[in-house]
Amino acid sequence: MTVSYSPNYGSQAVQGSSWTSSNSAIAINTSGQLSLASHISGSSTGSGDTIVSTIGFQDQYGNAGSGTVTVNVFANSAPTATFTNQTSNFETDNATTGTTMVSMSISDTESDTPFSASLTGTDASSLQLKYVNANSSSVGIQAAGNLSAATYNYNVKVTDNFGKSTTYSGRS
């Protein structure tokens, strides 16, 4: 939060310890930074709700003021994945253990990393996942062994750090 004065005589400053919030779900520290003070997951506050708080302050001269903050609550979005077939590896002489057959990129509106992924389906045991970066947003779907000529069917489930997931069924 910032406070501006009119007229501004150049020396007024909000006293850090004077910040107050009328709603216990909104906290404000001595630097005027707002944060969520309550864990709302599983609470009665949900997507579409608003949290309103009046923020009060006082300067070193005793001048007091306030302003209103409104927080709009949105549901956590599930992550999404994009897939790029590595077709140059689709020949049996290239489809060997540890070779990336499909590159998968995971993204999430809220960037709730690290991500996780799992494979299921008819031929999932022929494939394995290899995370390429620290936040798990880049994943190789690799041959778990030397693959023979065939169509391999699998499903991929991608999950964010808060348990929201998306399943891609019927991939081959």
Side-chain angles (χ1 to χ4, degrees), residues 39-58:
H39 185 69
I40 62 172
S41 179
S43 74
S44 61
T45 302
S47 181
D49 290 341
T50 57
I51 301 171
V52 179
S53 182
T54 300
I55 305 298
F57 57 89
Q58 187 172 351

Side-chain angles (χ1 to χ4, degrees), residues 2 13 22 40 52 54 69 71 91 94 107 161:
T2 58
S22 67
I40 62 172
V52 179
T54 300
V69 172
V71 177
E91 295 180 22
N94 294 332
S107 60
N161 196 37

Side-chain angles (χ1 to χ4, degrees), residues 79-86 100-107 115-120 127-133 135-142 154-159 166-169 171:
T80 58
T82 56
F83 303 88
T84 305
N85 289 338
Q86 302 301 309
T100 299
M101 306 306 292
V102 178
S103 296
M104 180 173 62
S105 178
I106 305 172
S107 60
F115 301 114
S116 62
S118 60
L119 295 170
T120 59
L127 304 168
Q128 62 189 14
L129 298 172
K130 171 73 174 177
Y131 295 97
V132 180
N133 58 1
N135 68 7
S136 311
S137 64
S138 183
V139 184
I141 300 175
Q142 300 181 336
Y154 62 97
N155 308 312
V156 179
K157 181 178 180 180
V158 294
T159 306
T166 303
T167 300
Y168 297 87
S169 300
R171 294 205 42 86

